[in-house]
C-alpha cells in the first residue's frame, strides 16, 4: 500500500467488522493517510468533513445500512455550563492542566493501562503495550499536543508547573478552527470527580482563549449509552447530509 504523499489523498475501504457500539451491526470505514507537508491542512479539512484521526490515518464510518455515527462539535463561544458542570468545575478547582508536545511517558502509560483495565477490558485497545501507546502519541504529522491534568501540590505558586500525581491525559489536535479531542483517559478511581467532563470543559476554555469556534468530540453514536455524554455540551452542531446543523437537545439542569 502506497503511503507517500500525493497531490490528492487516496482513500481506501475496510472490510466489514463487528461494530463496537451497536450489537448486531457491522462497521466499515473509509480512510486515508495523513502524511507529507499538507498533512495538517488535510487533517483540518477532513475533520471538518466528519473524519477522525488515529495516528497518521484519517477515517470515517462508511457502513452500508447504518448512519448512527454522527460527528459532533461544540460551539465554544456560545457554550454555557449547566449547573452540574459548574459543580464539576468547583470539585476539581485544584487541578491544573498543562499543554505540552506529543511525547509519551512511563507515567502516562501507567495511567493509560489502569484506565483500559478498568473501563475497556474487551475493547480494541485492551492489549496495547508501552510501544503501542508511544506510537499512538508520537505517530502524527499534524499539530498534536498532550494535555496533562495534575492536582496542584500545596505550596505551589501561581504559574508554577504542577508536580502532583497525574490524573488525566488528553491527546489533542490543534486545528485552524478549534481543538479536536483525539483520545483522553483519566484515573478510574476518581470516577465521582467526573474528570472526563472536566477535561472537555477545559478544552472549551482553551478553545475560547485561542479565539477559535469549535471543540470536536468525535462521533456521537445514536443508541449507544456510553456515547450519550457528548450531547450534554450545548450548543453543538452535528454533521448531517446538509452540512453542520445545530442540534436541538433538552437543556441540562
Amino acid at each position: 500500500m502506497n503511503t507517500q504523499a500525493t497531490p490528492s489523498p487516496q482513500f481506501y475501504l475496510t472490510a466489514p467488522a463487528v461494530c463496537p457500539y451497536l450489537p448486531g451491526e457491522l462497521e466499515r470505514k473509509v480512510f486515508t493517510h495523513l502524511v507529507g507537508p499538507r498533512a495538517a491542512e488535510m487533517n483540518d479539512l477532513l475533520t471538518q468533513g466528519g473524519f477522525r484521526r488515529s495516528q497518521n490515518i484519517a477515517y470515517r464510518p462508511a457502513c452500508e445500512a447504518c448512519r448512527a455515527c454522527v460527528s459532533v462539535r461544540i460551539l465554544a463561544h456560545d457554550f454555557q455550563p449547566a449547573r452540574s458542570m459548574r459543580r464539576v468545575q468547583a470539585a476539581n478547582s485544584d487541578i491544573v492542566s498543562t499543554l505540552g508536545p506529543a511525547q509519551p511517558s512511563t507515567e502516562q502509560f501507567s495511567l493509560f493501562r489502569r484506565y483500559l483495565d478498568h473501563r475497556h477490558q474487551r475493547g480494541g485497545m485492551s492489549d496495547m503495550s508501552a510501544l503501542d501507546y508511544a506510537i499512538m502519541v508520537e505517530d502524527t504529522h499534524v499539530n498534536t499536543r498532550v494535555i496533562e491534568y495534575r492536582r496542584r501540590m500545596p505550596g505551589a505558586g501561581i504559574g508554577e508547573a504542577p508536580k502532583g500525581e497525574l490524573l488525566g491525559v488528553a491527546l489533542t489536535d490543534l486545528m485552524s478552527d478549534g481543538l479536536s479531542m483525539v483520545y483522553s483517559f483519566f484515573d478510574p478511581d476518581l470516577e465521582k470527580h467526573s474528570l472526563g467532563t472536566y477535561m472537555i470543559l477545559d478544552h472549551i476554555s482553551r478553545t475560547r482563549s485561542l479565539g477559535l469556534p469549535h471543540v470536536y468530540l468525535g462521533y456521537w453514536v445514536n443508541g449507544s449509552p456510553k456515547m450519550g455524554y457528548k450531547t450534554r455540551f450545548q450548543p453543538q452542531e452535528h454533521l448531517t447530509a446538509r452540512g453542520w446543523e445545530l442540534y436541538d437537545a433538552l437543556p441540562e439542569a
Side-chain angles (χ1 to χ4, degrees), residues 47-64:
T47 301
Q48 292 160 7
F51 280 72
R52 290 291 286 166
R53 186 183 70 82
S54 177
Q55 300 176 38
N56 64 359
I57 297 291
Y59 68 92
R60 68 172 295 173
C63 306
E64 296 179 1

Side-chain angles (χ1 to χ4, degrees), residues 11-226:
F11 292 89
Y12 308 90
L13 188 64
T14 65
V18 175
C19 175
Y21 300 109
L22 300 177
E25 296 288 347
L26 295 177
E27 70 167 1
R28 300 190 78 176
K29 297 175 182 176
V30 60
F31 69 95
T32 189
H33 294 89
L34 291 170
V35 294
R38 295 184 59 224
E41 175 189 356
M42 190 59 60
N43 185 51
D44 280 15
L45 292 173
L46 291 175
T47 301
Q48 292 160 7
F51 280 72
R52 290 291 286 166
R53 186 183 70 82
S54 177
Q55 300 176 38
N56 64 359
I57 297 291
Y59 68 92
R60 68 172 295 173
C63 306
E64 296 179 1
C66 179
R67 296 293 182 269
C69 294
V70 179
S71 292
V72 173
R73 67 185 186 188
I74 302 167
L75 301 180
H77 290 294
D78 298 323
F79 173 80
Q80 294 294 331
R83 187 185 311 167
S84 62
M85 295 177 183
R86 293 195 295 271
R87 288 196 293 265
V88 170
Q89 290 174 315
N92 295 292
S93 60
D94 59 343
I95 292 179
V96 179
S97 62
T98 305
L99 184 145
Q103 295 179 351
S105 69
T106 301
E107 190 180 20
Q108 290 172 18
F109 177 69
S110 177
L111 181 61
F112 176 70
R113 281 290 356 150
R114 287 176 55 207
Y115 176 80
L116 291 183
D117 293 343
H118 186 270
R119 295 175 67 107
H120 301 285
Q121 294 182 0
R122 298 182 181 180
M125 305 172 75
S126 60
D127 59 350
M128 285 180 64
S129 65
L131 177 59
D132 294 327
Y133 174 76
I135 292 173
M136 181 179 78
V137 173
E138 294 178 325
D139 192 5
T140 173
H141 292 251
V142 304
N143 193 5
T144 303
R145 295 290 185 269
V146 166
I147 304 176
E148 293 189 342
Y149 296 82
R150 298 177 183 271
R151 201 176 306 282
R152 186 182 296 280
M153 296 296 288
I158 300 298
E160 291 184 23
K163 301 297 184 182
E165 180 185 3
L166 183 66
L167 304 179
V169 176
L171 186 64
T172 302
D173 287 347
L174 280 63
M175 298 173 31
S176 61
D177 69 331
L179 300 181
S180 176
M181 298 185 68
V182 177
Y183 192 78
S184 59
F185 54 93
F186 50 85
D187 188 338
D189 293 334
L190 299 177
E191 190 166 354
K192 292 184 179 179
H193 285 252
S194 300
L195 289 179
T197 295
Y198 179 79
M199 293 162 75
I200 294 175
L201 294 172
D202 179 65
H203 277 71
I204 295 171
S205 176
R206 287 178 175 275
T207 301
R208 280 176 165 174
S209 68
L210 292 170
L212 299 175
H214 303 126
V215 176
Y216 289 85
L217 290 184
Y219 299 119
W220 168 63
V221 183
N222 192 5
S224 174
K226 62 183 178 181

